[in-house]
Amino acid sequence: MKHVGQRPGVSSATEKHGRSFLLLLVGLVLLCPVQAGAVEPAIFLPAQEKAPHKFILGTGQPRGICPDLLQAMQKLEPALRFEGMDRELSLSLIDQGLRNGSVGAACGLLEQPARHAYARRVETPLYVARQMVAVRSNDDALPASLAELRKLAGKQPVITVRGSAQGAFLQGHGFRIDESTGDYQANLRKLLAQRSRFFYGGEFALRRAIQAAGLQGQIKLLPKVFHEEAIFFWTSRKLSAAQHERIERALSRLQASGELARIVRSYQDQP
């Protein structure tokens, strides 16, 4: 029975149009999460100040252990994107950024219990840092232990880089330290000026600083390794769990393939 004034076929056409619109809406809803996941925001990861083996800047494209590593990670996990490597920040500012979320990740930091409160450590270690001592070339000191090093330093403080883990390590072992600057070149000049007998730091950074300053004939590294510690990748606790998991996967795969060791070795072997 037809209703008065209704044209044949109108109800059927309206129903078909409604079903098509509903299917379109369902498709858009299902598509949105995929699109959102594919355009994750870039992770801000600045260069660490005064860490030339990790970040080599001023030569165009950033180079070093960390830039090479990040590039390899992005190839394995296309959803990972990093930015900020052309900007140097001090270690204290990087930690502050990890805490408030303005820094998404940091490459190449030591294990520190306090850092776990605001950052997550990626379990795959990047490499092992060796702590050594630089002296003037005419110095015949050969301390075989931290106790001997402290005794030979006498009343003079041992030079370290400002805010470094090496300085904190020495203080924990009863040393007086001079950490007035984070500039490796300035610290080498202090060593030559006999303001201290010893400059304590990481092997990579010390070798590069001596080479860059052209001081191979005036300053040498002692053969003793006084301490070794693993270096890790960290992410802010404000970074999404999905991004952290991608970083975990990428580093694990790079370690398994040997590419991680190859990248680190390529900069270890350089003077």
Side-chain angles (χ1 to χ4, degrees):
M1 179 178 177
K2 292 185 176 66
H3 294 287
V4 178
Q6 182 179 29
R7 290 177 298 176
V10 170
S11 177
S12 176
T14 302
E15 288 175 0
K16 287 180 181 178
H17 184 270
R19 283 197 298 272
S20 298
F21 184 70
L22 182 61
L23 288 172
L24 178 61
L25 283 177
V26 171
L28 288 172
V29 168
L30 291 173
L31 185 62
C32 282
V34 175
Q35 291 177 331
V39 289
E40 291 256 20
I43 300 169
F44 183 66
L45 190 156
Q48 184 183 340
E49 186 180 55
K50 310 303 181 186
H53 57 293
K54 298 177 194 173
F55 295 93
I56 302 171
L57 306 182
T59 58
Q61 188 73 14
R63 296 172 48 248
I65 291 173
C66 289
D68 288 9
L69 183 58
L70 298 180
Q71 188 175 16
M73 291 165 65
Q74 289 174 141
K75 287 180 181 177
L76 293 177
E77 293 284 342
L80 281 177
R81 291 185 301 121
F82 297 97
E83 65 179 16
M85 281 177 286
D86 57 345
R87 180 180 172 189
E88 279 187 308
L89 291 182
S90 67
L91 181 57
S92 61
L93 285 178
I94 289 174
D95 271 315
Q96 182 180 319
L98 288 171
R99 187 179 288 106
N100 63 33
S102 61
V103 170
C107 175
L109 304 186
L110 291 168
E111 161 63 32
Q112 286 189 357
R115 190 173 283 134
H116 287 271
Y118 52 86
R120 290 169 292 203
R121 193 187 76 183
V122 177
E123 291 309 304
T124 301
L126 304 185
Y127 60 91
V128 173
R130 309 198 314 167
Q131 296 179 10
M132 301 177 75
V133 167
V135 299
R136 293 180 292 279
S137 294
N138 60 0
D139 194 325
D140 60 359
L142 281 173
S145 66
L146 285 171
E148 285 187 26
L149 180 66
R150 188 171 54 243
K151 181 178 179 180
L152 288 170
K155 294 182 178 180
Q156 285 189 318
V158 173
I159 298 170
T160 62
V161 173
R162 183 172 58 205
S164 69
Q166 291 93 348
F169 173 77
L170 288 182
Q171 285 182 313
H173 285 80
F175 282 79
R176 291 178 59 238
I177 64 171
D178 172 357
E179 56 171 359
S180 57
T181 177
D183 189 319
Y184 275 84
Q185 304 295 323
N187 281 323
L188 291 174
R189 289 193 294 271
K190 285 194 291 185
L191 186 65
L192 288 175
Q194 301 187 30
R195 288 179 53 185
S196 177
R197 189 175 184 182
F198 303 112
F199 178 8
Y200 187 97
E203 178 188 11
F204 282 5
L206 286 173
R207 287 192 188 280
R208 280 188 169 274
I210 293 168
Q211 171 74 14
L215 296 174
Q216 300 93 319
Q218 300 178 64
I219 294 177
K220 65 184 179 182
L221 281 187
L222 297 183
K224 172 68 177 175
V225 176
F226 290 93
H227 186 61
E228 292 184 321
E229 271 192 278
I231 299 292
F232 293 95
F233 201 104
W234 296 75
T235 67
S236 169
R237 290 197 175 274
K238 296 184 182 294
L239 188 72
S240 73
Q243 290 285 59
H244 179 84
E245 288 167 9
R246 290 185 184 106
I247 292 170
E248 285 270 18
R249 282 197 305 268
L251 280 175
S252 179
R253 289 176 63 187
L254 289 172
Q255 182 189 53
S257 70
E259 180 65 6
L260 173 57
R262 187 200 67 76
I263 290 172
V264 172
R265 191 167 55 247
S266 72
Y267 289 96
Q268 276 182 316
D269 293 343
Q270 294 181 22

